[in-house]
Structure formats: C-alpha cells, structure tokens
Amino acid sequence: MERTAGRSPSPPRDADARLGRAIRAVRHDRGMTLVQVAEASGLSQPFLSQLEHGRTRPSMRSLFRIAAALGTTQQALLGMAAGTTSDEPVRGSGAALVDLETGGARLLLHDPAGTDVTEFVGVPTEFGEYFSHERREMLYVARGRIEVELREADGSRSATLEARDTIAYAGLVEHRFRQVGPDPCVVLVIHSGAPDA
C-alpha cells in the first residue's frame, strides 16, 4: 500500500531512512532505474522515490514486490537496513518497521546463512493477496489466534492456530494468514533455506 497519497510526506525516521538507503543500494547494485523498478513491481515511481528517501514506509506487500523486482528478499532488505549481524542483539527501537493495516512487522534475525525471523505485531482480520516465494516458511503464534490458508494445485486448505501453535510449508505453496477473534496477534514468521541475495 502506498502511504503518501493525499498528504505531504513526514520527516524521515532513522529506521525508515536506513530501509530507503538499503533499497537504493540494491537498486544501484543491480543497475536498475526507479522507472524499471516501478514497472517490475507495479508500484509508482514517486512512491519508490519517497521510500528511498525514507519519507514513507512500504506495506509488507509493497516490500515483497520491490524485493522481487530487485531479485532479493524482504528480509535481506530489512537486514541491510538493520545493519546487524546474527550475533548482535536487535533493539526494537532500531529495527526497520514495515507498516501493516493493523500494526507492523520487524526483522528480528537475518542470518546470511539462510534463516530469517520476522515478528508481526497486529495482523489484518481479512485475508490479503497470497504470497509465494522460494524459501520454506514456518509460522509460530506467540499471542492471539490466526487462520492460515494454503493454496496448491489440488485445492486450498486452511488451519486455525492458537497461541504457541506452529505450522510449516514450502514457500512456493501460495499462503496467507489473518487474525481470528478480537485479541491482537503476535506472529513469528521464520524463513529457512538459502536466501535469494
């Protein structure tokens, strides 16, 4: 979701600025222009420019599209923005935050060897678009209750997860999840396998 429409951009926060710089660095490394990333991601060039300057935040869906256009992963971009290694503590105030409709997501761990842990605080109550990617994914519900929907060639299936429940699936299986009930959710999403970047 593009966040700048209809209002003037706010001053950049440090975490937003770091995420913007990480995206710009990868774009330059790939030799791509903003126009090319806009075309590949389906996002507008002005939004991407504001994002690179740290004046707006992407939704998780937008960050997913940007990462795919750049041939990398959301977690790799957030890891670059955090600037930490796997043996350093990640401070909540320094973690790059990605907006969600009802909360946010932040990278807790980015290990270049192949494991990423992202914390979702607040989860939408309605399903969004499906996600699909190369890496294996596991969900752990720390608080609340969610419904997970998986869509494969032979049909769809769903499961409801309570606090302390876990599910894992191949990333190429189309997947999405939503909050069930009134209690806010905290969900850890763990990606394993070789990162794309």
Side-chain angles (χ1 to χ4, degrees), residues 3 19 50 108 132 146 161:
R3 309 280 297 179
L19 180 58
Q50 290 294 317
L108 299 180
S132 177
I146 65 171
L161 303 181

Side-chain angles (χ1 to χ4, degrees), residues 41-78:
S41 66
L43 301 169
S44 73
Q45 182 182 344
F47 170 72
L48 292 171
S49 177
Q50 290 294 317
L51 180 59
E52 287 194 358
H53 287 92
R55 298 193 179 278
T56 190
R57 295 181 192 167
S59 67
M60 208 60 180
R61 171 61 58 185
S62 294
L63 189 60
F64 179 80
R65 289 177 175 168
I66 292 164
L70 294 172
T72 187
T73 65
Q74 300 153 297
Q75 293 78 22
L77 293 173
L78 289 170

Side-chain angles (χ1 to χ4, degrees), residues 7 14-15 29 31 56 67 70 76 121 137 140-141 154 171 173 189:
R7 61 181 180 153
D14 188 47
D29 185 60
T56 190
L70 294 172
V121 179
E137 183 168 300
Y140 172 79
V141 181
D154 58 351
V173 172
V189 179

Side-chain angles (χ1 to χ4, degrees), residues 10-180:
S10 57
R13 294 184 330 135
D14 188 47
D16 296 336
R18 288 196 312 269
L19 180 58
R21 286 193 299 270
I23 291 168
R24 185 170 57 247
V26 174
R27 179 174 64 79
H28 287 172
D29 185 60
R30 303 294 195 263
M32 296 179 73
T33 66
L34 276 175
V35 171
Q36 290 171 319
V37 176
E39 289 174 356
S41 66
L43 301 169
S44 73
Q45 182 182 344
F47 170 72
L48 292 171
S49 177
Q50 290 294 317
L51 180 59
E52 287 194 358
H53 287 92
R55 298 193 179 278
T56 190
R57 295 181 192 167
S59 67
M60 208 60 180
R61 171 61 58 185
S62 294
L63 189 60
F64 179 80
R65 289 177 175 168
I66 292 164
L70 294 172
T72 187
T73 65
Q74 300 153 297
Q75 293 78 22
L77 293 173
L78 289 170
M80 288 177 64
T84 59
T85 62
S86 59
D87 59 351
E88 294 176 338
V90 176
R91 307 298 181 191
S93 61
L97 182 73
V98 178
D99 279 347
L100 296 175
E101 295 167 20
T102 56
R106 69 185 184 103
L107 188 69
L108 299 180
L109 172 72
H110 174 66
D111 184 347
T115 301
D116 293 306
V117 181
T118 307
E119 176 188 52
F120 287 78
V121 179
V123 175
T125 57
E126 300 295 329
F127 280 126
E129 298 175 49
Y130 284 98
F131 284 88
S132 177
H133 47 77
E134 296 289 332
R135 302 170 73 199
R136 186 159 180 80
E137 183 168 300
M138 184 184 85
L139 302 181
Y140 172 79
V141 181
R143 186 172 66 213
R145 184 161 51 126
I146 65 171
E147 180 183 6
V148 181
E149 192 170 82
L150 306 175
R151 186 168 68 180
E152 300 179 84
D154 58 351
S156 297
R157 61 187 174 99
S158 64
T160 299
L161 303 181
E162 309 279 347
R164 300 178 65 196
D165 288 349
T166 304
I167 190 172
Y169 40 84
L172 289 174
V173 172
E174 292 187 319
H175 54 274
R176 59 189 182 176
F177 63 92
R178 68 182 181 104
Q179 176 180 309
V180 176

